[in-house]
Amino acid sequence: MKASDFIKNVSQTSGMLDEVEGIVQGHRDGHGFVSRDDGAPDIYLPPNEMRAVLHKDRVKVRIVRSDRKGRPEGRVVEIMERSTQPIIGRLLQESGVWLVAPEDKRYGQDVLIPKGATSVAKPGQVVVVELIEPPALFGQPVGRIKEVLGEVDDPGMEIEIAVRKYSVPHEFSDACIALARTLPDKVRPQDKLQRIDLTDIPLVTIDGEDARDFDDAVYCEPATKGRGKTALKGWRLLVAIADVSHYVETGSAIDVDAYDRATSVYFPRRVIPMLPEKLSNGLCSLNPEVERLCMVCDMFVTADGEVDAYQFYPAVMWSHARFTYTEVAAILGNTRGPEASKRRDLVPQLLDLHGVYQALLKSRHKRGAVDFETTETQIVCDENGRIEKIVPRTRNTAHRLIEEAMLAANVCSADFIAQNKHPGLFRVHEGPTPEKQEVLRNYLKASGIGMSISDKPAPGEFQAIALATKDRPDAQQIHSMLLRSMSQAIYTPINSGHFGLAFDAYTHFTSPIRRYPDLLVHRVIKAILAKTKYQLPVLPTPGEAHAKLARRLEKNLASRVAEPGTKPKKMNAEGTAWQAAGLHCSANERRADEASRDVEAWLKCKYMREHLGEEYSGVVSSATTFGLFVTLDAMYVEGLVHITELGGEYFRFDELRQELRGERTGIRYAIGTRVRIQVSRVDLDGRKIDFRLVQEGQSLQPRAMADKGLPREAKGRAEFADRVESDGGGAFNGKARQRAGTKSSRSVRTGEKVSGASKKPAKKQRR
């Protein structure tokens, strides 16, 4: 074969020598990947190719070969666009040279700062850097200090870093603030026109102890629909939601800022709200014993939990009480107890709410909605931002009661929009892709469960497996695999239903104070009631995050096309605008989650740094080719037990069973396995915690205590903090075998490249 024919053949079969565009995703170990625009697998960039580019640069690369792991390897042929995102890091002075070491290690290079560009910053302080010269093949990037955030140990510094690291808008525009000042302090007479007066209805709010903005209020009473033998007995359920759309007009300065944020961002001890505080905590918040404007979903729920009828209308309400979940659960548990005696007048209504909740629960079970119990945690900090403790958030009856009421209102909203054929945003949760289905089937078969899923699985199949295995020792592992097979929910104008909740149509209506899609849904409902049509304002062009999400959605859609040649319907300009809005809100929801996770990881690392060398019991939360992730019982903190810490034998990763198995002893480590560990190392900048496995009768050396004063520059370790990102197939492919105990943990970890999946506690109504 001629050389030219060989090259042509290779190019056709494996994509070699192709030039593609994408976004650089740096890695803390010096290499990187290019996330392709076409959604194909990432292209690996070796360290020498990363010298002239930075994380988030847009580049054109040529695929030149496959590396030893089978990944396409590329060479940068053109830098299309430099990232404009500022870099956050610590200012250092080394041998008379000023430089900033990026807090995000994916940038891979320190930034040189000329003598006149240090501003008022002092060595060791955290600063924001603006690049003035990009990196070159033989030269470091050069920048100037744009903002000084303060000392690294200042209270709340981790939040200041996160909002800039993830480009979270945290300052309202001057126009937004000025407009907010012009809003009234209370409901005015003209605001009540053409609204139903519900001030005599004892609506109440039920939220957490630390809640400051109250989106929703509820009321329930027994009701009968119809007469005679055909009469239906059930409940009248009112869900009143703050009418944010009355005060936030489309295209106004407040609306522009709210759209830019798309969601409130929640950190320990701090919230970055979507709306100015005058609205979020004042005028729109359904505070007790004040008049508030609201949009009401008024439902008739049958004894079987079916919503037989509903209507929407604007109203004026008066919250008769502000309850907490703990208080309501105590009253329902003992109607003659001390909590009930304080709220004697409202106890009957709470019992009615519990009655409709039990009816709605019947409907949930009948639909086969997926309902896995997960442990959510709350970080309790002192006044200086230091963690005092990490405690579990227990979901009681009151949490579930409110959740079911909100779900019912959201379903009615989606049905109302769909029935009236008005464009809007649905909350869509797709079922598992064919690839994920196959992985799950193989796992269920290998685990000997005796149950599987069909080619077109229904939510009830997942719930049936969860119920049938709930008493097995490996129940946690099984439920984790079921959850991993699910897709992430998104906002889109194309209604495909909500798989997890088993709804044909679902949207978000119940939290317009903190979610922009809910605000859009309110506007659409109002337009339908007024027999008009809501027009979206001109929206900004979707950015990188939206484009990345769009590529993923297109790829998933392609895998679901039933017949060859079938193409999705093309959208008109209006549909495209709604799709852009959905992508924007979905991408910013993920951005908020990533920023929150980053702060929580930093706080947990700082907390665990005080417990180096101590021993704890825990449970394996994930098994991988490179080790075990273990969650501590007492602290709900997760760390890595590297494979080199598991003992002196070979361990093989069983991909089907998702476990590590020792070849000599046959010992298995899988999700749910109980272990005892020692906290061996904490990397604060990398957001990583390392554990050592404590074998029975083993005497551990107190070497971990020497790591308490580890400097920021500690490097050369496995990446496992940002486990939500993919590294193009990972450094390990499930077939690798490592000799445990043959090298020191630090030498073995140098140069490793690993990835996985990050977990975050769910927020109220984040479905």
Side-chain angles (χ1 to χ4, degrees), residues 104-262:
D104 189 341
K105 299 302 180 292
R106 290 177 294 179
Y107 281 98
Q109 302 183 58
D110 292 339
V111 181
L112 295 176
I113 307 295
K115 288 184 179 179
T118 58
S119 184
V120 295
K122 300 175 182 177
Q125 287 187 318
V126 180
V127 297
V128 180
V129 174
E130 182 179 53
L131 288 184
I132 54 179
E133 286 184 28
L137 201 56
F138 301 103
Q140 288 177 262
V142 180
R144 66 177 183 85
I145 293 176
K146 181 181 177 183
E147 183 182 4
V148 180
L149 299 183
E151 303 297 332
V152 69
D153 292 326
D154 287 350
M157 179 54 66
E158 67 281 358
I159 297 175
E160 296 296 333
I161 291 172
V163 296
R164 290 162 179 82
K165 179 177 177 180
Y166 293 95
S167 299
V168 175
H170 58 285
E171 292 180 346
F172 288 108
S173 65
D174 292 340
C176 175
I177 294 171
L179 182 57
R181 288 198 188 104
T182 66
L183 294 173
D185 294 320
K186 60 183 181 179
V187 175
R188 300 164 301 185
Q190 60 264 38
D191 297 324
K192 303 178 189 179
L193 298 176
Q194 297 182 329
R195 287 179 178 268
I196 305 296
D197 188 345
L198 295 181
T199 53
D200 60 330
I201 301 294
L203 286 151
V204 298
T205 62
I206 305 175
D207 282 277
E209 280 81 358
D210 54 352
R212 295 179 61 196
D213 54 353
F214 307 108
D215 291 278
D216 53 89
V218 290
Y219 169 78
C220 183
E221 64 183 13
T224 303
K225 183 185 176 186
R227 296 180 180 179
K229 294 181 180 180
T230 59
L232 276 176
K233 288 190 175 182
W235 309 91
R236 183 192 180 195
L237 174 63
L238 269 65
V239 174
I241 306 299
D243 190 358
V244 175
S245 62
H246 179 82
Y247 298 105
V248 181
E249 296 181 4
T250 299
S252 68
I254 297 175
D255 189 43
V256 170
D257 279 25
Y259 175 78
D260 188 32
R261 297 177 179 220

Side-chain angles (χ1 to χ4, degrees), residues 664-709:
R664 179 172 55 82
T665 62
I667 188 171
R668 299 178 180 182
Y669 294 104
I671 299 172
T673 302
R674 298 208 61 80
V675 293
R676 188 159 185 82
I677 60 89
Q678 180 194 48
V679 183
S680 63
R681 190 170 183 272
V682 175
D683 179 2
L684 194 59
D685 287 336
R687 287 20 173 203
K688 297 183 296 294
I689 303 168
D690 284 358
F691 296 151
R692 294 181 63 205
L693 196 65
V694 179
Q695 306 287 358
E696 189 174 350
Q698 180 184 8
S699 176
L700 287 176
Q701 299 297 323
R703 65 176 176 83
M705 300 306 293
D707 282 341
K708 276 201 172 183

Side-chain angles (χ1 to χ4, degrees), residues 632-682:
L632 305 185
D633 295 335
M635 299 178 173
Y636 305 95
V637 170
E638 186 180 62
L640 174 70
V641 178
H642 195 266
I643 197 168
T644 55
E645 302 281 4
L646 293 180
E649 65 173 306
Y650 287 103
F651 278 84
R652 183 184 292 274
F653 178 63
D654 188 328
E655 192 169 8
L656 291 179
R657 292 181 173 84
Q658 292 291 301
E659 67 182 19
L660 281 175
R661 182 186 299 182
E663 291 194 348
R664 179 172 55 82
T665 62
I667 188 171
R668 299 178 180 182
Y669 294 104
I671 299 172
T673 302
R674 298 208 61 80
V675 293
R676 188 159 185 82
I677 60 89
Q678 180 194 48
V679 183
S680 63
R681 190 170 183 272
V682 175

Side-chain angles (χ1 to χ4, degrees), residues 409-423:
N410 286 336
V411 170
C412 292
S413 304
D415 183 73
F416 190 62
I417 293 171
Q419 292 292 338
N420 286 277
K421 295 181 171 55
H422 194 296

Side-chain angles (χ1 to χ4, degrees), residues 624-635:
T624 71
T625 53
F626 53 88
L628 306 170
F629 287 95
V630 175
T631 301
L632 305 185
D633 295 335
M635 299 178 173

Side-chain angles (χ1 to χ4, degrees), residues 70 321 369 386 499 618:
R386 178 183 173 276
F499 181 84

